[in-house]
């Protein structure tokens, strides 16, 4: 690749990073005429073409819809590039900066929104954008603000955990991931989690054949079994009461022949894990622990064997 091509590619990437794939595409097409076999240029052109339509109509949308459209389209883009025979990091990085910088600008315009739920979501999604841009301190500030408005959401806690993992605080990350998947595993968007801590766990559970919402429900179970969700805290009395109430409700639900066992089984096992942890931390009787272990064995002998070994 000649010096001229390198300069043109670098300029194109600057336009991509500013959210202007149209201008980037023009520069890359000029570069390609002098370097027809350049795979990096061809890949970058595909990236530009993918985003042309979206970037053309996003400015006409309301602020929140701008952000939502961009980050949802990013998931489609990840699928698109996963099907490519090659992946050029610089092109993907430039595209990422352009997409999430524009999405962030949309969400930031909602910081004074009177609707607290919308304002909290804007801060949470801002945190996601900052994280994708590599600005972890700003990401955590935004996520903490979201949590102060709407405390204890699974999605917000998972994003905070991911940031702490990327930031190097693995202990706090493990604690928060465990909490997030306990609150509501299905509310966590796995496609936006980036830390190796959680991505490796997701891959390991995926290899067992789980997909979709079943995958989300089994992640906390295997998180315990594989030693990832090993940072725990004692529950308060109201939390213990709520935990037992949910176990009772789920057990009754499981008695219905029409119930969805693919979702109920991992959820119940995770609830049982939490109750066992509570009994252990509070030095409760072994008989209570053994009773829960028997319930796990009846649900899944394989999981029981892995847990007690």
């Amino acid at each position: 690749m000649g010096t001229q091509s390198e300069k043109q590619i670098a300029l194109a990437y600057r336009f991509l990073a500013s959210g202007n794939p149209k201008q980037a595409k023009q520069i890359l097409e000029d570069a390609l005429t002098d370097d027809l076999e350049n795979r990096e240029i061809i890949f970058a052109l595909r990236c530009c073409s993918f985003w042309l339509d979206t970037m053309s109509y996003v400015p006409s949308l309301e602020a929140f819809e701008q952000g939502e459209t961009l980050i949802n389209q990013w998931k489609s883009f990840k699928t698109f590039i996963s099907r490519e025979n090659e992946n050029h990091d610089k092109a993907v990085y430039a595209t990422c900066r352009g997409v999430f910088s524009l999405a962030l600008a949309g969400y930031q315009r909602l910081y004074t929104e009177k609707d607290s739920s919308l304002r909290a979501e804007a801060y949470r999604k801002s945190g996601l954008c900052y994280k994708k841009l590599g600005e972890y301190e700003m990401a955590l500030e935004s996520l903490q603000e979201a949590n102060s408005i709407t405390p204890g959401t699974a999605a917000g806690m998972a994003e905070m955990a991911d940031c702490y993992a990327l930031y190097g605080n693995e202990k706090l990350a493990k604690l928060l991931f465990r909490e997030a998947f306990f609150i509501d595993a299905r509310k966590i968007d796995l496609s936006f989690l980036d830390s190796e801590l959680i991505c490796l766990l997701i891959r390991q559970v995926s290899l067992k054949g789980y997909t979709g919402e079943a995958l989300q429900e089994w992640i906390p179970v295997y998180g315990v079994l594989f030693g990832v969700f090993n940072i725990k805290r004692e529950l308060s009395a109201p939390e213990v009461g709520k935990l037992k109430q949910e176990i009772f409700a789920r057990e009754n639900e499981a008695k219905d022949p029409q119930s969805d066992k693919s979702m109920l089984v991992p959820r119940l096992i995770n609830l049982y894990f939490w109750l066992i942890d509570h009994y252990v931390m509070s030095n409760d009787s072994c008989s209570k622990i053994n009773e829960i272990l028997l319930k796990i064995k009846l649900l899944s002998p394989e999981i029981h064997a892995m847990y007690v070994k």
Side-chain angles (χ1 to χ4, degrees), residues 2-272:
T3 303
Q4 183 59 28
S5 291
E6 290 178 353
K7 289 180 179 178
Q8 288 174 297
I9 292 172
L11 180 59
Y13 285 164
R14 285 199 290 273
F15 277 110
L16 257 182
S18 66
N20 190 343
K22 183 178 180 180
Q23 188 63 49
K25 185 171 183 286
Q26 291 174 357
I27 295 167
L28 290 167
E29 285 173 340
D30 289 342
L32 189 63
T33 59
D34 297 321
D35 200 354
L36 293 173
E37 301 299 319
N38 190 306
R39 301 302 303 170
E40 183 178 3
I41 295 175
I42 293 169
F43 179 85
L45 276 168
R46 288 175 180 159
C47 294
C48 292
S49 296
F50 182 94
W51 286 98
L52 280 175
D53 183 56
T54 301
M55 292 301 187
S56 68
Y57 70 78
V58 159
S60 66
L61 302 175
E62 296 293 330
F64 187 75
E65 286 305 311
Q66 287 183 14
E68 295 295 281
T69 298
L70 288 164
I71 66 172
N72 286 329
Q73 190 68 354
W74 178 258
K75 290 194 281 189
S76 299
F77 178 68
K78 283 181 67 177
T79 301
F80 165 74
I81 60 176
S82 71
R83 294 171 181 159
E84 293 287 306
N85 293 326
E86 53 191 303
N87 188 336
H88 294 276
D89 291 341
K90 289 182 180 179
V92 176
Y93 176 74
T95 306
C96 178
R97 290 205 65 82
V99 170
F100 286 96
S101 294
L102 290 177
L104 176 61
Y107 291 125
Q108 286 176 326
R109 292 201 290 275
L110 298 166
Y111 286 178
T112 57
E113 175 65 42
K114 292 181 180 179
D115 183 333
S116 60
S117 61
L118 182 57
R119 192 168 71 254
E121 185 66 0
Y123 273 108
R124 184 179 76 79
K125 291 291 178 59
S126 292
L128 186 155
C129 291
Y130 277 124
K131 186 188 73 175
K132 298 297 288 187
L133 294 169
E135 299 180 38
Y136 303 134
E137 288 188 16
M138 292 297 296
L140 284 168
E141 285 184 19
S142 297
L143 291 166
Q144 287 161 357
E145 181 63 28
N147 191 60
S148 71
I149 301 169
T150 308
T153 68
M157 204 158 287
E159 287 295 342
M160 276 197 280
D162 204 36
C163 277
Y164 279 117
L166 291 165
Y167 205 58
N169 191 336
E170 190 172 278
K171 184 176 180 179
L172 185 51
K174 286 182 172 185
L175 176 65
L176 291 174
F177 271 131
R178 181 172 177 267
E179 297 275 345
F181 279 93
F182 174 72
I183 293 167
D184 194 338
R186 288 181 240 178
K187 290 286 179 67
I188 299 168
D189 193 335
L190 304 183
S191 63
F192 286 113
L193 299 179
D194 297 325
S195 62
E196 188 63 19
L197 174 70
I198 195 66
C199 288
L200 179 58
L201 176 59
I202 294 169
R203 286 196 295 272
Q204 288 176 317
V205 181
S206 297
L207 289 173
K208 295 186 173 292
Y210 298 112
T211 59
E213 291 186 337
L215 169 64
Q216 290 168 288
E217 291 289 0
W218 278 107
I219 284 170
V221 174
Y222 284 98
V224 171
L225 297 176
F226 294 158
V228 179
F229 292 0
N230 59 355
I231 305 299
K232 303 162 186 178
R233 65 172 178 85
E234 178 58 283
L235 299 176
S236 65
E239 286 176 322
V240 174
K242 188 176 179 181
L243 173 62
K244 290 181 177 179
Q245 285 177 353
E246 185 177 356
I247 288 174
F248 179 76
R250 299 287 183 176
E251 288 176 338
N252 282 333
E253 188 180 348
K255 294 174 185 176
D256 182 354
Q258 303 300 316
S259 63
D260 188 351
K261 299 297 191 296
S262 68
M263 300 294 154
L264 271 174
V265 168
R267 179 59 182 170
L268 259 174
I269 291 173
N270 190 33
L271 292 169
Y272 290 150

Side-chain angles (χ1 to χ4, degrees), residues 294-309:
L294 178 59
K295 290 184 177 184
I296 294 173
K297 188 174 185 178
L298 291 171
L299 281 177
S300 174
E302 178 189 356
I303 296 298
H304 175 268
M306 293 177 68
Y307 185 67
V308 299
K309 72 176 183 180

